[in-house]
Amino acid sequence: MSSNDALALLVSANLFVDAVKIANVFKIDVRPVVEGLASRCVYLSRSKPSEKDLAWDWLAENNFGSGGDGDCGSTMATSVEAAWSLLKKIVQDQEKTSVTSLKKAIAVRLMVLGTALPAWLVNAYKCANPAELLHLYLSHGFIIMASNFAVEYIEAALGNGCQYFGFANALHAHSTPIWLPFNLFDQLMLELKDHIDNPVCKKHYVRINQTLDHYMSTVKRVSKDMISISVS
């Protein structure tokens, strides 16, 4: 049996912690583990109460049961919370803050399953690579989420929570340049414009337009300030 086969068997048996250990020992991709656990979390969220109770058994085998010695499992009120916490812990343990391979794998799996991304994943992702997350929202048809995210993204560049989007600084004359994915903003605007007859899409179209206008006016002002500083 190959290491990949062993990994697949462990994931199918809900032995996610052991699967991570195998992946690390044989230096193989951990993404199948987090994808499998993400699917299990979604399934568990939609399960009957009896199935949720049974989940404590495999959570305990991952040292994440209601009475186990996992980092968070013993404080979880439900097996659903414990399963999501196990997924979060694996990502935090296995992936550097600035890397998004596991975050992307989980996000794609959850989007395909039609499930909202948990707050911890969004927060970690937007700090590491907000443009990639915006692209995922767009490519999977989550246009309204993409619109809200894009507005937050642009406002962060203007100084409203810039640290949450991985910016070292906001846009001002004394700071380093800021890059924004205008190609994705253009794509988003086209998507919203195609559904402009929908009142919700129209509202978001107007909102992001106004936000971009504000950003561009700020860029012009900052550019003038930079010129004034350089010649003074």
Side-chain angles (χ1 to χ4, degrees):
M1 181 184 295
S2 70
S3 56
N4 284 307
D5 289 338
L7 189 76
L9 284 174
L10 289 169
V11 170
S12 65
N14 297 324
L15 298 173
F16 302 105
V17 171
D18 289 339
V20 169
K21 291 177 181 177
I22 290 293
N24 289 336
V25 168
F26 291 96
K27 301 186 185 311
I28 55 179
D29 200 345
V30 180
R31 283 180 295 180
V33 181
V34 297
E35 288 171 342
L37 180 51
S39 295
R40 177 58 60 184
C41 288
V42 174
Y43 172 79
L44 194 58
S45 299
R46 299 170 179 173
S47 296
K48 299 177 181 178
S50 58
E51 293 175 322
K52 292 176 181 177
D53 289 339
L54 290 173
W56 286 118
D57 293 337
W58 64 260
L59 285 164
E61 292 182 354
N62 287 277
N63 292 323
F64 234 75
S66 58
D69 57 0
D71 286 357
C72 302
S74 60
T75 65
M76 295 294 105
T78 68
S79 59
V80 175
E81 292 176 344
W84 284 109
S85 293
L86 175 59
L87 179 60
K88 178 181 178 180
K89 185 177 185 300
I90 289 175
V91 172
Q92 291 175 335
D93 290 346
Q94 296 296 313
E95 187 161 73
K96 294 180 180 178
T97 304
S98 59
V99 181
T100 60
S101 177
L102 299 184
K103 299 177 187 69
K104 182 178 180 180
I106 295 168
V108 169
R109 178 59 58 91
L110 295 180
M111 288 179 183
V112 169
L113 294 174
T115 299
L117 307 187
W120 63 264
L121 179 61
V122 174
N123 291 336
Y125 210 148
K126 72 182 184 183
C127 189
N129 193 340
E132 185 175 85
L133 179 53
L134 177 59
H135 179 261
L136 290 181
Y137 279 136
L138 281 169
S139 61
H140 287 83
F142 292 87
I143 305 304
I144 301 305
M145 287 185 182
S147 179
N148 287 327
F149 189 78
V151 169
E152 288 183 26
Y153 197 174
I154 299 165
E155 290 180 345
L158 293 171
N160 185 12
C162 62
Q163 69 274 20
Y164 301 118
F165 280 79
F167 291 121
N169 50 260
L171 179 66
H172 55 75
H174 297 281
S175 68
T176 55
I178 283 179
W179 176 85
L180 287 176
F182 281 95
N183 59 320
L184 295 179
F185 297 153
D186 289 341
Q187 182 183 341
L188 173 59
M189 294 289 287
L190 288 173
E191 290 282 354
L192 291 169
K193 192 174 183 179
D194 284 344
H195 300 86
I196 203 70
D197 292 338
N198 184 311
V200 176
C201 290
K202 183 177 181 179
K203 175 184 175 182
H204 282 270
Y205 180 83
V206 171
R207 184 185 178 209
I208 192 171
N209 231 334
Q210 292 174 339
T211 306
L212 283 169
D213 286 345
H214 177 48
Y215 178 81
M216 295 310 298
S217 65
T218 304
V219 169
K220 291 178 181 178
R221 176 179 56 78
V222 168
S223 298
K224 290 180 181 179
D225 291 343
M226 292 177 69
I227 294 172
S228 299
I229 292 171
S230 64
V231 299
S232 60

